[in-house]
């Protein structure tokens, strides 16, 4: 949300590790212009396209 306030251009933020899965789901809702997903979910931080789409459609709150 702070990046969206501070930057006047579209951005994406990449992260990996313990908290990256939640970030990949929530990033677009917090202002990231791009979300990355894979065709089939991996045990690491990569969500599947299907799961990302479901989260994006389910969580409905105004952008930051």
């Amino acid at each position: 949300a702070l990046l969206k306030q501070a930057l006047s251009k579209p951005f994406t933020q990449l992260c990996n590790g313990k908290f990256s899965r939640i970030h990949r789901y929530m990033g677009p809702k917090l202002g990231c212009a791009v979300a990355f997903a894979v065709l089939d979910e991996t045990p690491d931080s990569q969500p599947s396209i299907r799961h990302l789409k479901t989260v994006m459609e389910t969580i409905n709150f105004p952008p930051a």
Side-chain angles (χ1 to χ4, degrees), residues 34-50:
V34 178
F36 295 96
V38 294
L39 187 58
D40 295 312
E41 189 145 354
T42 66
D44 298 324
S45 60
Q46 297 286 336
S48 69
I49 295 168
R50 181 174 56 92

Side-chain angles (χ1 to χ4, degrees), residues 3-59:
L3 282 174
K4 186 174 182 182
Q5 290 174 3
L7 300 175
S8 61
K9 299 187 187 276
F11 66 92
T12 190
Q13 179 186 10
L14 299 176
C15 63
N16 203 358
K18 186 173 160 180
F19 300 109
S20 62
R21 183 174 289 276
I22 190 70
H23 180 272
R24 293 199 185 237
Y25 285 124
M26 299 305 296
K29 292 294 187 178
L30 298 173
C32 286
V34 178
F36 295 96
V38 294
L39 187 58
D40 295 312
E41 189 145 354
T42 66
D44 298 324
S45 60
Q46 297 286 336
S48 69
I49 295 168
R50 181 174 56 92
H51 287 154
L52 182 61
K53 185 175 185 283
T54 299
V55 170
M56 294 297 297
E57 291 172 344
T58 303
I59 298 175

